[in-house]
Amino acid sequence: MAAGAPGAGGQVRDPGGLRASLAGLTTRGRSFLAAGAAAAVCAYVLGQGQLLRVGLLLVVLPLICVLALHRTRHRVTATRRLTPPRVPAGGEARVQLRLENVSRVPTGLLMLQDRVPYVLGPRPRFVLDRVESGGRREVSYRVRSDLRGRYPLGPLQLRLTDPFGLVELTRSFTAYDTLTVVPRTQPLPAVRMTGEAGGYGDGSRRSLALAGDDDVIPRTYRRGDDLRRVHWRSTARYGELMVRREEQPQRTKATVLLDTRGTAYEGAGPDSAFEWAVSAAASTLLHVLEQGFSVRLLTDTGDSVPGEGGGFSSGGTESAEAAGLMMDTLAVVGHSDGSGLGRAHDAVRSGGAGLASSGGDGLLIAFFGDLDEEQTEMAARMRQRSAAAVAFVLDSATWTGAPSRAEERLRRLRDAGWTALAVPPGAAFAELWRQAGNAPLGPETSGGRG
């Protein structure tokens, strides 16, 4: 079996030799053996040849069934199709199993059981009466999880029985699939963050030029070039026909910073503050990608996804692949052992790996847990390298019903130029996102509404 690949086959794993097959005798089969042995002994004692034949038949029949199942156990193949292989938390995926009998003889009664983690539901079981030679059977079931993560499906277990019910062998296939449950996401309104430049560069505070050097330096005329692009000054200087290069817009960069420190959050479960932050970060990543940004996911450990190209996604197909990679990362992200934001601060400020590589331009969107005075100052300094910075702060006291302790931290972030909002328990992220887009820059920024 192969993950998500129809037609990719897997064969039954051999857990042992003939001895293991003999262990598959059912109660009926063992009774036949016992009755046959007793009949043979009685026939020998009493000198009854006919009874001996009956005893031999009772002994040989279960052994023949064992041998038959033992020889045919590798002649059954199966494939699994998982649709889709990546689902949001609370969504359903359909698992389709197809069994094929590749032997020359039909099978007996088959019972299938697929191994699935308990969070996906009960183990599915199916009974197939008979599969003819070359025949196929298809069965399907659905799995669902409210918890994000990566869950193995399989290996598939196949229980073989003979027509007389004397032998029952359980075999496992060798392959398994993986279902990835990503965080829930929600569509976000199209708003312009204070100081933000558009995905392809038209903001008032944009420092990255609309055109690179290729747009300024002309090149030699090539057959088929539009004559309206002729650069006459360069033509006169070089003595040959020169044309202006095509403008190639450059994509603004955006960093989504997720604070995963275990000390920054309290509580667990789907409704916890940390799960809210993970879900909001996933929604933000998909939204800014749709807006044409080059995006990366950064955590407090300094790890960046995707890791190539300076950590930022590219356009086109690469952008879709990067989105899948970032969502897969968020599917399994957990609490880090760190207590500070130092490594994230260095990643944001360092050239090549951070926003500094774009000339001080770009958008920084952060999801913070509890911030003490030191970490608040660290976060405030991250703002210096970005054209716009938005912080969503999840204060543990607020989420546990205690009085908020984050107001002073929010004020310090706003003084540093962040658009900082407090996140109340169960807040709708789309509404907070809209508030962030409408909030003024600086100390007057308000948060925690709605």
Side-chain angles (χ1 to χ4, degrees):
M1 285 180 291
Q11 289 192 340
V12 181
R13 181 177 60 228
D14 186 3
L18 186 59
R19 181 177 300 177
S21 298
L22 287 172
L25 284 169
T26 64
T27 302
R28 181 184 298 177
R30 297 176 188 274
S31 300
F32 267 57
L33 285 177
V41 172
C42 293
Y44 176 77
V45 172
L46 300 177
Q48 297 292 328
Q50 297 295 333
L51 183 59
L52 179 61
R53 294 188 183 93
V54 173
L56 291 178
L57 175 63
L58 293 176
V59 171
V60 170
L61 184 59
L63 297 179
I64 292 177
C65 293
V66 168
L67 184 61
L69 289 182
H70 176 76
R71 292 177 59 85
T72 61
R73 70 190 188 283
H74 288 299
R75 309 307 299 277
V76 177
T77 62
T79 59
R80 179 190 288 110
R81 181 194 292 271
L82 179 59
T83 310
R86 183 188 292 118
V87 296
E92 285 190 347
R94 183 170 180 263
V95 183
Q96 184 175 6
L97 302 173
R98 185 166 76 172
L99 198 73
E100 182 176 2
N101 179 17
V102 296
S103 65
R104 297 181 179 179
V105 295
T107 69
L109 185 68
L110 299 179
M111 287 171 282
L112 304 179
Q113 176 179 275
D114 210 7
R115 293 184 178 179
V116 299
Y118 72 94
V119 296
L120 299 182
R123 290 187 176 183
R125 294 180 174 88
F126 306 94
V127 178
L128 303 180
D129 290 336
R130 180 180 180 274
V131 182
E132 65 278 7
S133 175
R136 298 175 181 177
R137 298 291 185 273
E138 292 187 359
V139 293
S140 64
Y141 64 94
R142 295 184 179 274
V143 290
R144 178 182 181 274
S145 174
D146 292 326
L147 302 176
R148 58 184 176 84
R150 291 172 62 86
Y151 302 103
L153 300 178
L156 179 67
Q157 289 183 326
L158 177 64
R159 187 174 297 174
L160 306 172
T161 61
D162 66 285
F164 304 103
L166 303 178
V167 186
E168 185 177 276
L169 301 181
T170 300
R171 298 291 183 256
S172 295
F173 286 79
T174 57
Y176 65 92
D177 298 328
T178 300
L179 173 67
T180 302
V181 181
V182 300
R184 290 187 180 93
T185 59
Q186 54 182 298
L188 301 179
V191 298
R192 179 177 294 279
M193 300 300 176
T194 304
E196 174 194 338
Y200 284 96
D202 60 349
S204 60
R205 293 191 56 179
R206 179 177 170 82
S207 61
L208 186 63
L210 278 171
D213 294 338
D214 285 349
D215 301 310
V216 177
I217 301 176
R219 61 169 175 82
T220 305
Y221 173 83
R222 298 171 186 167
R223 185 175 180 180
D225 286 338
D226 191 343
L227 292 178
R228 291 174 295 181
R229 292 172 45 212
V230 173
H231 195 272
W232 296 109
R233 182 176 299 178
S234 298
T235 299
R237 177 182 300 177
Y238 295 107
E240 58 179 328
L241 205 58
M242 307 291 289
V243 297
R244 295 186 299 274
R245 295 179 184 268
E246 292 284 356
E247 293 185 354
Q248 299 180 3
Q250 299 186 15
R251 296 160 62 91
T252 303
K253 296 179 178 179
T255 292
V256 177
L257 172 60
L258 176 62
D259 182 6
T260 64
R261 295 173 296 143
T263 57
Y265 300 92
E266 294 184 11
D271 298 327
S272 65
F274 181 67
E275 292 301 323
W276 190 98
V278 173
S279 178
S283 300
T284 302
L285 285 168
L286 297 182
H287 178 73
V288 293
L289 278 170
E290 291 174 355
Q291 298 302 312
F293 284 81
S294 294
V295 186
R296 68 167 176 172
L297 170 65
L298 184 68
T299 65
D300 58 288
T301 62
D303 296 331
S304 178
V305 182
E308 300 179 356
F312 289 89
S313 64
S314 302
T317 305
E318 292 79 5
S319 181
E321 293 176 352
L325 181 59
M326 288 184 282
M327 294 300 289
D328 288 346
T329 301
L330 290 177
V332 296
V333 68
H335 290 299
S336 69
D337 297 330
S339 58
L341 299 173
R343 283 179 287 184
H345 171 270
D346 294 339
V348 170
R349 292 178 58 87
S350 62
L355 293 173
S357 61
S358 61
D361 197 2
L363 177 62
L364 174 61
I365 305 171
F367 298 88
F368 293 121
D370 289 335
L371 296 173
D372 57 23
E373 184 175 349
E374 179 182 356
Q375 304 312 317
T376 301
E377 291 300 322
M378 189 79 67
R381 291 196 296 270
M382 294 182 192
R383 170 66 178 86
Q384 300 172 4
R385 291 287 185 155
S386 58
V390 183
F392 299 93
V393 181
L394 295 87
D395 179 46
S396 294
T398 303
W399 280 74
T400 55
S404 176
R405 303 168 297 187
E407 191 58 39
E408 182 61 32
R409 313 302 186 201
L410 292 171
R411 185 178 299 108
R412 176 65 187 93
L413 293 177
R414 294 164 189 160
D415 289 343
W418 285 82
T419 299
L421 290 85
V423 180
F429 181 54
E431 179 59 28
L432 288 177
W433 181 263
R434 183 179 291 106
Q435 292 180 23
N438 297 331
L441 183 67
E444 297 180 357
T445 302
S446 60
R449 302 186 303 269

